[in-house]
Amino acid sequence: MERSLLEGKKALVIGGTSGLGKECASLLLKAGARIIITGRNLPGKGEGEQSDEPGFVRCDFEKDGIFALEKGNLNRAVREADILIVAYGPFIRKKLEDTGATDWARLAMFDYALPGLAVSLALPGMISRGGGNILLFGGTRSESILPRSLTTAYHGAKTGLSVIVRSVAKNYAAKGIRCNAVLPGSVSSAPAANAPSGSEGFVVSPRDVAEAAVSLLSNPAMNGVLLNVDRGWQP
């Protein structure tokens, strides 16, 4: 890991209080980055004790929608970020005939529009500072348009992220800005009910995924990469 690319950088991890985001924040901290994480609750504190503190910005996307990105301390953190990671996003596993309006709207908003808006808000500051580093999370093999049985709505949104990644890489590389995505397979911390059928033997850990994410952030040659981290599992 090249500390020179990460050390001292302002890193915002949206969804950094749990799961993949928490693992990424931990690794970036070890690499010397200055971390800000977002979440509904700061770990170790009760609901009534929540407030913005150094290194933590409280936000509730389920309540406020993506408009939370345009307000207050979170907006400031996005605009000042040298490194932006968006690790927040719901997963829904349903047949198409069972997928309702709320499901479609929620996935489109949080798995596609939220990371897209975060990128849009971060870019002006990165341009003015002469560079930046963006990392998004796609879905399993979502670099390709594939038929899905139970995750059509989810993977449709995640496949759309590939367009954002490649667009940023193409249009902003000359300004020193890179954008990549990790596409995890079946992650060990996922609820058993969400584990894809047939993925036994191909499970990856949250740390595996986070290490892949930080390796992309650390390598200046990596731009526009959609990196599968799934031990070769094919959905």
Side-chain angles (χ1 to χ4, degrees):
M1 182 182 301
E2 295 188 26
R3 290 182 64 91
S4 60
L5 291 179
L6 304 177
E7 192 167 13
K9 299 297 184 181
K10 291 182 179 180
L12 173 64
V13 184
I14 296 176
T17 58
S18 63
L20 299 179
K22 184 177 180 180
E23 291 288 346
C24 287
S26 175
L27 291 177
L28 286 173
L29 189 63
K30 290 180 180 178
R34 293 178 288 163
I35 305 297
I36 295 177
I37 61 174
T38 77
R40 186 178 294 113
N41 299 309
L42 183 63
K45 289 199 172 186
E47 286 286 344
E49 301 175 283
Q50 298 304 317
S51 63
D52 288 1
E53 297 183 6
F56 174 73
V57 177
R58 184 174 185 265
C59 64
D60 188 343
F61 291 120
E62 294 286 352
K63 178 182 177 182
D64 299 325
I66 65 174
F67 301 101
L69 289 168
E70 297 183 322
K71 301 175 182 178
N73 290 339
L74 180 54
N75 182 259
R76 186 177 304 110
V78 174
R79 293 183 182 278
E80 294 179 353
D82 301 309
I83 300 171
L84 171 67
I85 297 178
V86 182
Y88 176 86
F91 178 84
I92 294 177
R93 184 177 171 86
K94 288 184 177 180
K95 293 180 180 179
L96 266 175
E97 65 264 32
D98 298 325
T99 307
T102 299
D103 299 322
W104 282 105
R106 185 167 177 251
L107 291 171
M109 178 178 289
F110 296 134
D111 286 329
Y112 181 70
L114 187 151
L117 178 59
V119 170
S120 294
L121 294 173
L123 282 172
M126 291 181 175
I127 292 169
S128 68
R129 292 187 296 274
N133 216 335
I134 300 169
L135 192 287
L136 306 179
F137 284 96
T140 305
R141 299 280 164 166
S142 61
E143 81 282 11
S144 302
I145 298 175
L146 298 173
R148 309 286 178 166
S149 299
L150 298 173
T151 59
T152 301
Y154 170 79
H155 273 97
K158 289 296 190 179
T159 300
L161 289 185
S162 300
V163 179
I164 296 174
V165 170
R166 293 281 170 82
S167 297
V168 173
K170 177 181 185 296
N171 294 309
Y172 297 93
K175 299 183 184 298
I177 298 170
R178 296 189 294 118
C179 185
N180 298 292
V182 173
L183 316 181
S186 180
V187 181
S188 62
S189 62
N194 290 340
S197 176
S199 66
E200 299 82 1
F202 296 92
V203 172
V204 294
S205 71
R207 180 53 64 100
D208 292 331
V209 179
E211 287 177 348
V214 175
S215 72
L216 289 176
L217 293 169
S218 304
N219 190 333
M222 297 297 190
N223 195 15
V225 173
L226 306 170
L227 179 62
N228 293 299
V229 181
D230 56 17
R231 299 187 188 277
W233 180 65
Q234 298 286 340

